[in-house]
């Protein structure tokens, strides 16, 4: 629940520093006194967007801070997941807005994003303003009410999982059919390309090897001539390097007994002889191997021309890429050949997921139907004491195509008169009737959802007298179940039933107009309610009526 609210330099508020209590509290004040300003400040703590124009004129920064007691609520997981210190007795939300347009948000002095603050704020406070009554016109709101009271989050989650699987499979099938259609349309061209690549007999590293061989054959005469000269220099019988090294090594070996240093040199020469002899044999073999073969050169250049043509055609630079394209075309053609079987498999998979989607939708519908009966019964029980004795309220379900929220289209049907047929509530209910329906729904929701604080902003519009008193008793009842209910009201019947009473006042000072909020004493409450009964001129009768309403 909201324990304390601190506001500084926010629009008309210089400084507000006030405690709130558990149970049912009321806030009163003249129109324009600043009630909406206070709600606007609380809205910032719930993640609403900030504007530097909200800063009090002449100031650099405004601060809104609220302290909550969450001891009776389960919020620890949020703080753990967001790495924020948790104090169940005192959780602090703070917004700071600077005149440069920047806004900062904090939870327990930890900087947080606006999304994080909004996520927590929506679970702490529900502000029900008059415009929220318009939500009754929206089908998604009506369906959401049914789901909240049904407490069917598990069933809804199971349905959504089945629905998403179904839709993903449906999308996969549509995409595959489209691909197959495109492939079939291009099949002739793809087969031509595949055959062209296949007939080229491409192999990895083929281009590099052929280019090297082409270069060799193109210069075969020059290469053979050079190899021949090198062979003569190495192997000539008289002046060849090999023979001379052999002679030099043997000559030094002969004098080794007389000149020991010659032995080492002889060994080195012998090693060189062995290496050069091996080289000479390779040169001789190469000389014999090199032959100019114009037919072979033509075949090589013809294959290279094919490779270059294909690379240019497909805008690539290697045989590896050509082989990749060939493999891709092969798979696409195989896919065309197997397309009928593939589509049948996907259609069978889709049918299976559709059945699961139907199954989960039926389970979800049962929870909603049960919830709808409960809503119908309780709405009737609540509205009769609130001045609609002949109320008729039905929840109508119409089957719709599967969507993320199920296959139920829902409408709240209403009639305030005994012999009038029920119609969509937004079309036939008055403002006061809608306010009473919304209060009844909020009361039901509050029993299901553990929401610490609910603020009603003039939900009593269009009602008065006994009806207003009954509405106040419902809010009073809501405030008894570990919940804090605050009602902003103009009606004395509602104000009198509050456990605590606050008043918003606007004052003119030398520095300008300011708005203040203060808690009233018992005597001040009598005066305030008397004024709400009779206006600015408070009569003795009004004071006596106020005491009777307050039972003092």
């Amino acid at each position: 629940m909201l324990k304390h609210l601190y506001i500084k330099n926010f629009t008309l508020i210089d400084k507000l520093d006030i405690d709130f209590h558990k149970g049912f509290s009321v806030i009163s004040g003249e129109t324009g006194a600043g009630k909406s300003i206070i709600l606007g400040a609380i809205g910032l703590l719930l993640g609403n967007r900030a504007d530097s124009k909200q800063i009090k004129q002449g100031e650099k920064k405004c601060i809104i801070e609220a302290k909550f007691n969450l001891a009776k609520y389960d919020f620890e997981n949020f703080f753990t997941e967001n790495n924020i210190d948790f104090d169940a007795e005192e959780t602090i939300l703070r917004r700071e807005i600077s005149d440069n347009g920047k806004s900062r948000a904090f939870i327990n002095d930890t900087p947080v994003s606006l999304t994080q603050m909004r996520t927590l704020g929506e679970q702490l406070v529900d502000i029900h303003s008059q415009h929220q009554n318009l939500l009754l016109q929206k089908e998604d709101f009506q369906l959401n009410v049914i789901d909240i009271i049904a407490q069917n989050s598990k069933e809804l989650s199971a349905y959504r999982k089945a629905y998403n699987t179904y839709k993903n499979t449906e999308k996969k099938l549509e995409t595959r059919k489209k691909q197959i259609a495109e492939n079939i349309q291009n099949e002739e061209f793809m087969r031509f390309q595949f055959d062209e690549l296949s007939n080229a007999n491409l192999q990895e590293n083929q281009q590099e090897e052929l280019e090297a061989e082409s270069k060799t054959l193109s210069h075969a005469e020059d290469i053979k001539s050079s190899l021949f000269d090198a062979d003569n220099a190495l192997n000539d019988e008289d002046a060849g390097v090999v023979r001379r090294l052999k002679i030099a090594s043997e000559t030094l070996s002969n004098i080794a007994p007389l000149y020991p240093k010659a032995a080492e040199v002889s060994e080195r020469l012998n090693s060189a002889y062995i290496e050069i002899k091996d080289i000479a044999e390779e040169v001789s073999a190469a000389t014999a191997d090199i032959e100019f073969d114009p037919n072979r050169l033509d075949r090589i250049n013809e294959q290279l021309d094919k490779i270059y043509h294909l690379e240019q055609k497909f805008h690539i630079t290697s045989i590896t890429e050509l082989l990749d394209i060939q493999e891709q075309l092969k798979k696409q053609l195989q896919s065309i050949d197997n397309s009928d079987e593939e589509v049948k498999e996907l259609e069978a998979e889709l049918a299976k997921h559709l059945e699961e989607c139907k199954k989960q939708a039926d389970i979800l519908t049962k929870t909603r139907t049960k919830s709808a009966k409960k809503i119908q019964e309780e709405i009737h029980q609540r509205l009769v004491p609130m001045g609609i004795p002949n109320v008729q309220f039905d929840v109508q379900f119409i089957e719709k195509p599967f969507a993320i929220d199920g296959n139920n289209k829902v409408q709240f049907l209403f009639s305030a008169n005994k012999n009038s047929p029920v119609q969509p509530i937004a079309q036939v209910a008055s403002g006061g009737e809608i306010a009473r329906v919304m209060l009844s729904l909020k009361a039901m929701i509050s029993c299901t959802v553990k929401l610490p604080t609910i603020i009603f902003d003039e939900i009593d519009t269009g009602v008065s007298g006994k009806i207003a008193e009954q509405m106040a008793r419902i809010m009073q009842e809501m405030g008894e179940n570990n919940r804090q209910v605050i009602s902003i009201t103009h009606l004395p019947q509602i104000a009198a039933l509050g456990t605590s009473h606050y008043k918003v006042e606007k004052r003119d000072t030398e520095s300008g107009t300011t708005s203040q909020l203060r808690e009233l004493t018992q005597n001040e409450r009598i005066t305030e309610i008397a004024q709400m009964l009779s206006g600015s001129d408070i009569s003795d009768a009004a004071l006596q009526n106020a005491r009777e309403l307050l039972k003092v």
Side-chain angles (χ1 to χ4, degrees):
M1 57 167 263
L2 177 62
K3 290 169 53 181
H4 187 84
L5 180 64
Y6 174 82
I7 303 173
K8 185 176 181 182
N9 298 330
F10 182 73
T11 63
L12 297 181
I13 297 175
D14 286 328
K15 182 180 178 182
L16 187 151
D17 200 357
I18 194 163
D19 293 323
F20 287 91
H21 310 288
K22 65 180 181 179
F24 177 44
S25 300
V26 296
I27 299 176
S28 62
E30 294 180 3
T31 301
K35 297 184 290 294
S36 60
I37 296 173
I38 294 170
L39 288 180
I42 295 174
L44 289 175
L45 296 176
L46 307 186
N48 293 348
R49 294 189 63 179
D51 189 334
S52 59
K53 294 177 182 178
Q54 293 171 313
I55 301 173
K56 186 173 176 62
Q57 190 172 2
E59 300 295 337
K60 298 291 185 183
K61 182 172 76 172
C62 78
I63 299 172
I64 300 100
E65 181 178 285
K67 295 179 182 178
F68 292 86
N69 184 333
L70 306 180
K72 296 181 179 179
Y73 300 90
D74 186 15
F75 281 97
E76 192 166 358
N77 285 343
F78 171 86
F79 290 84
T80 302
E81 290 170 2
N82 290 277
N83 197 27
I84 300 172
D85 291 336
F86 179 62
D87 183 347
E89 298 291 336
E90 188 166 274
T91 292
I92 302 173
L93 274 64
R94 186 170 81 253
R95 284 288 294 276
E96 297 180 359
I97 308 168
S98 300
D99 60 356
N100 60 8
K102 292 184 178 179
S103 166
R104 297 196 300 168
F106 302 86
I107 299 175
N108 289 342
D109 289 328
T110 299
V112 296
S113 67
L114 205 57
T115 299
Q116 288 173 303
M117 176 162 274
R118 186 179 297 116
T119 300
L120 179 60
E122 287 174 348
Q123 299 176 68
L124 294 179
V125 180
D126 174 31
I127 299 179
H128 181 94
S129 56
Q130 291 182 55
H131 77 271
Q132 275 197 315
N133 291 339
L134 299 176
L135 290 173
L136 270 178
Q137 301 176 16
K138 299 182 180 296
E139 290 177 13
D140 56 348
F141 171 79
Q142 296 176 13
L143 186 59
N144 190 42
V145 168
I146 289 171
D147 284 338
I148 289 173
I149 294 173
Q151 294 182 278
N152 59 6
S153 57
K154 288 183 179 179
E155 290 83 358
L156 184 57
S157 178
Y159 166 78
R160 284 176 174 166
K161 182 179 179 181
Y163 173 77
N164 286 330
T165 302
Y166 167 72
K167 294 302 289 184
N168 289 337
T169 305
E170 184 181 55
K171 185 177 180 180
K172 183 179 177 182
L173 176 61
E174 290 173 358
T175 301
R176 194 69 197 98
K177 282 182 175 179
K178 185 178 179 182
Q179 289 174 343
I180 290 169
E182 290 174 354
N183 288 343
I184 291 174
Q185 189 175 1
N186 298 323
E187 181 180 7
E188 185 177 344
F189 180 61
M190 284 193 296
R191 289 197 184 279
F192 170 78
Q193 288 184 317
F194 176 74
D195 291 341
E196 188 176 22
L197 288 167
S198 297
N199 294 334
N201 296 315
L202 303 174
Q203 299 172 13
E204 287 285 356
N205 303 318
Q206 184 184 45
Q207 182 175 345
E208 293 81 0
E209 293 171 358
L210 290 177
E211 286 174 340
E213 189 177 354
S214 174
K215 195 172 184 180
T216 298
L217 288 173
S218 297
H219 299 84
E221 292 184 2
D222 294 336
I223 293 170
K224 192 172 184 69
S225 176
S226 295
L227 287 171
F228 182 77
D229 291 342
D231 186 38
N232 282 337
L234 292 167
N235 293 314
D236 185 74
E237 286 293 329
D238 297 322
V241 173
V242 175
R243 177 175 173 74
R244 286 178 176 275
L245 282 171
K246 178 68 172 173
I247 293 171
S249 175
E250 290 176 348
T251 300
L252 289 173
S253 177
N254 292 334
I255 64 170
L258 304 174
Y259 185 61
K261 288 185 178 181
E264 181 185 351
V265 176
S266 176
E267 285 296 324
R268 291 170 63 190
L269 283 170
N270 189 56
S271 297
Y273 162 73
I274 294 170
E275 177 66 18
I276 296 301
K277 183 183 179 184
D278 186 58
I279 293 172
E281 289 174 353
E282 285 190 23
V283 171
S284 294
T287 304
D289 288 343
I290 294 296
E291 293 293 341
F292 177 63
D293 185 349
N295 292 329
R296 172 64 180 165
L297 181 60
D298 287 343
R299 289 195 299 273
I300 289 171
N301 287 336
E302 183 181 349
Q303 181 67 6
L304 285 171
D305 286 342
K306 286 182 182 179
I307 293 170
Y308 296 148
H309 169 71
L310 290 170
E311 288 176 345
Q312 185 177 16
K313 179 176 181 177
F314 290 98
H315 305 290
I316 53 175
T317 59
S318 71
I319 281 186
T320 300
E321 292 172 290
L322 286 173
L323 290 170
D324 288 342
I325 292 173
Q326 182 179 333
E327 183 63 24
Q328 184 180 349
L329 287 167
K330 180 181 178 181
K331 289 179 180 178
Q332 287 177 313
L333 291 169
Q334 288 175 340
S335 175
I336 293 174
D337 294 337
N338 301 327
S339 59
D340 289 345
E341 184 178 344
E342 188 178 354
V343 168
K344 286 180 181 178
E345 289 178 358
L346 282 173
E347 287 175 339
E349 185 181 348
L350 183 65
K352 182 183 73 173
H353 293 317
L354 177 59
E355 284 303 312
E356 180 63 19
C357 195
K358 288 178 180 177
K359 175 184 172 183
Q360 296 301 330
D362 288 344
I363 293 172
L364 184 61
T365 297
K366 287 178 182 177
T367 68
R368 288 171 170 172
T369 303
K370 186 177 179 181
S371 173
K373 289 178 180 177
K374 179 181 177 182
I375 291 172
Q376 289 173 178
E377 292 171 2
E378 192 163 334
I379 284 288
H380 187 272
Q381 291 170 6
R382 290 183 178 277
L383 291 183
V384 170
M386 283 195 285
I388 314 179
N390 297 316
V391 61
Q392 299 176 68
F393 187 91
D394 291 329
V395 179
Q396 181 187 66
F397 286 100
I398 302 171
E399 189 171 325
K400 69 175 184 179
F402 291 111
I404 192 64
D405 58 359
N407 66 334
N408 305 125
K409 181 179 179 181
V410 67
Q411 271 195 333
F412 287 173
L413 303 178
F414 175 85
S415 173
N417 303 309
K418 190 173 184 179
N419 297 319
S420 298
V422 290
Q423 297 182 56
I425 189 168
Q427 297 178 16
V428 296
S430 67
E433 289 165 346
I434 285 179
R436 281 171 271 180
V437 172
M438 283 298 287
L439 178 60
S440 300
L441 291 173
K442 287 281 182 175
M444 295 179 68
I445 290 171
S446 70
C447 292
T448 304
V449 180
K450 289 186 176 181
L451 192 67
T453 300
I454 301 175
I455 300 176
F456 290 107
D457 181 17
E458 299 184 3
I459 196 172
D460 49 34
T461 300
V463 298
S464 60
K466 290 288 185 181
I467 296 172
E469 181 182 345
Q470 185 60 34
M471 291 178 73
R473 294 200 180 281
I474 290 176
M475 288 185 276
Q476 197 176 46
E477 173 195 329
M478 292 169 66
E480 291 173 353
N481 299 313
N482 293 326
R483 191 173 295 104
Q484 180 185 48
V485 176
I486 301 172
S487 176
I488 297 173
T489 183
H490 289 293
L491 297 181
Q493 293 87 351
I494 291 178
L497 288 177
T499 305
S500 305
H501 190 154
Y502 300 84
K503 183 175 182 179
V504 180
E505 299 172 307
K506 186 185 287 185
R507 294 181 180 177
D508 293 323
T509 66
E510 293 181 0
S511 59
T513 302
T514 63
S515 185
Q516 296 179 334
L517 176 70
R518 63 187 181 87
E519 185 174 359
L520 300 180
T521 66
Q522 185 69 6
N523 287 334
E524 287 174 330
R525 286 193 73 181
I526 294 170
T527 303
E528 174 68 8
I529 291 175
Q531 189 171 357
M532 296 171 76
L533 286 164
S534 64
S536 56
D537 295 329
I538 301 174
S539 64
D540 291 338
L543 289 169
Q544 182 58 34
N545 286 339
R547 291 188 186 95
E548 290 175 2
L549 286 173
L550 288 167
K551 294 182 171 56
V552 295

